[in-house]
Amino acid sequence: MIDYRPVGGAMLLAEPLVVRFDALLGEPAAGRALERLDRELDWQRPRLRLYGREHPIPRRQVWMGDTEARYRYSGSDFSPETWHPEASRLRDAVIARLAAAGIRADFNSVLLNRYAGGEERMGWHGDDEPELGPDPLVAAVSLGAERPLRFRWKKRDGEAFNAWLPHDSLLLMGPGVQRRLQHALLPRRIPGLRISLTFRRIIP
């Protein structure tokens, strides 16, 4: 298993493209964004249906975006909340950082996940809902406690790997990633609050 530890920005995969950029906002802006999002959002713990049974998700979340960015996930429909100023600022910073790397992006929505500590988690999945199109570009910002996002190949034809995501980092998952890989935030004995913002474009 490959363990990509942060040493500045790094290309983790070339095909399909997975890249980590560090120091997206810089301090004190990144710390301020974490504090405001934690304090000012109406964090929710919806119940999702899995294998015929309903379960509360093991974290808290907010779905946010443009009015038309409705999303269906695990049998539930989500209507977006209005953009929070910090989330909007982060979206613009992500688009600018990607543009500087020669990557064009246009996001109209974001899923924010709040992990109170290392025991809260996200199971194996791909961001491959029909609303995202066949090969979406997905960009994830991490604020707070550093944790690894684990990847595995759907056809098990490659080695699984961890992408460690420090505070104020940006992970780009390019076209083909959601089709070919799954990812998860597995439980770890890592203390501290972490908020992730996963930007994407919903196709109405």
Side-chain angles (χ1 to χ4, degrees):
M1 190 269 295
I2 305 169
D3 210 31
Y4 290 109
R5 295 278 178 168
V7 221
M11 180 182 291
L12 309 185
L13 277 180
E15 178 54 42
L17 185 65
V18 180
V19 183
R20 193 192 65 240
F21 304 87
D22 294 339
L24 176 65
L25 295 182
E27 292 294 3
R32 184 169 58 244
L34 174 66
E35 191 274 333
R36 284 196 67 190
L37 293 171
D38 182 39
R39 175 169 46 89
E40 297 178 9
L41 294 190
D42 179 20
W43 294 102
Q44 302 144 22
R45 194 188 294 272
R47 299 179 69 86
L48 300 181
R49 180 170 293 277
L50 297 171
Y51 307 111
R53 300 180 63 183
E54 284 196 351
H55 306 269
I57 64 171
R59 60 193 175 280
R60 295 188 184 274
Q61 70 176 35
V62 176
W63 176 247
M64 188 179 294
D66 297 350
T67 308
E68 73 278 6
R70 298 179 60 86
Y71 194 51
R72 185 168 180 80
Y73 174 70
S74 291
S76 298
D77 291 305
F78 296 94
S79 296
E81 296 194 8
T82 304
W83 286 99
H84 184 280
E86 286 293 349
S88 180
R89 189 174 297 116
L90 279 160
R91 176 197 57 196
D92 294 345
V94 168
I95 290 172
R97 177 64 65 89
L98 295 179
I103 300 167
R104 184 179 180 276
D106 181 19
F107 301 115
N108 63 0
S109 53
V110 60
L111 178 63
L112 298 100
N113 281 295
R114 181 189 187 277
Y115 303 90
E119 73 285 353
E120 297 198 343
R121 65 197 187 278
M122 170 83 78
W124 287 107
H125 69 287
D127 298 321
D128 54 3
E129 290 74 20
E131 298 94 329
L132 300 177
D135 270 326
L137 186 77
V138 178
V141 174
S142 295
L143 299 172
E146 178 185 337
R147 288 179 65 177
L149 190 67
R150 186 159 172 80
F151 286 85
R152 69 184 183 188
W153 297 86
K154 289 183 178 180
K155 294 184 177 180
R156 306 297 192 267
D157 52 354
E159 191 172 359
F161 62 94
N162 285 336
W164 283 84
L165 303 176
H167 174 59
D168 196 25
S169 64
L170 163 65
L171 185 75
L172 173 70
M173 293 178 278
V177 172
Q178 309 305 324
R179 178 166 40 85
R180 298 175 62 187
L181 293 103
Q182 292 180 317
H183 54 278
L185 192 77
L186 302 176
R188 287 259 184 163
R189 291 182 179 177
I190 298 175
L193 171 69
R194 176 180 184 266
I195 291 177
S196 70
L197 302 93
T198 308
F199 294 92
R200 61 211 56 206
R201 179 159 192 82
I202 297 294
I203 302 169

